[in-house]
Amino acid sequence: MKIIRTPEAMQKHALDLKRTGRSIGGVPTMGFLHEGHVSLMRLARAQCDVLVVSIFVNPTQFGPNEDLKTYPRDFSRDESLCEQAGVDLLFYPEPTAMYAADASSWIDEASLSGGLCGATRPGHFRGVCTVVAKLFNLMQLDIAVFGEKDAQQLRIIERMVRDLNFPVNILRGPIVREPDGLAMSSRNKYLSAEQREAALCLRRSLDNVEEQFAAGERNTAVLRQTVVDWIASVPGAELDYIEVVDDRSLAAVETIESDTLVALAVKFGAVRLIDNAVLCRSP
Ligand code: PAF
């Protein structure tokens, strides 16, 4: 596995590979890798000649009061996980190399980014879209895999790729969960034992919504209230949002008639976790 540390070297290497006719698949990450990331690497690995993973804790997607400084990092562990997963190229740039001090060009997706996580994290998806576009240009990806845990991010990236004609095929990787149902996340590391137990309320409240949906409930106010009540009963859990939205437009839905995304974010002290489920997914 080759480690590349500068954007220039990454782009040159990728363009050289493209000239030899090889396809490049990639998994953009912020590091502190877990089984969820590894599952995305496996998906990409099966569909490309060269597999590239980027590790970059992107400063532009963190708000001023968010956890950029404390975001977990462990490069040597990440490096060996990538090696084991059959990664060919690991792109690990310095933040100062990725953004010029006077960088002033951004990608702002203007329809899907406002609600859900975008409502409490203003500017977050502008940072995500901009860095993902930069990574596509640097890594020259034919295929890129993103996880379904970040449901809104995934839909925004798909929209950006469509709207701006990026020649990249986006694949969706299913959510990977711990045996007790907690969705894998780099931020799980920061949960205390009590918070780790409390964090099961995300999956459990989604299970509850799915059960009500299976039993015929279509009124989203009723489904949302179930989650509000559930989370309120969990000590140490503070609901950031619970939204029931159209799976494509991410617009709020009152009565479920087509594919619908149920997404929530819950805070446990300083740790904010997200999870989601899709109801009524077309076969
Ligand atoms: O999902 C993430 O880890 C990040 O948002 C991404 C897509 C790597 C962009 O920094």
Side-chain angles (χ1 to χ4, degrees), residues 28-30 56 58 61 128 131-132 146 150 153 157:
T29 81
M30 299 208 300
F56 178 60
N58 172 38
Q61 69 187 73
V128 169
V131 81
V132 168
F146 294 90
D150 296 294
Q153 165 173 286
I157 291 169

Side-chain angles (χ1 to χ4, degrees), residues 126-138:
R126 184 176 91 144
V128 169
C129 285
T130 303
V131 81
V132 168
K134 284 163 72 70
L135 291 168
F136 286 173
N137 284 335
L138 295 172

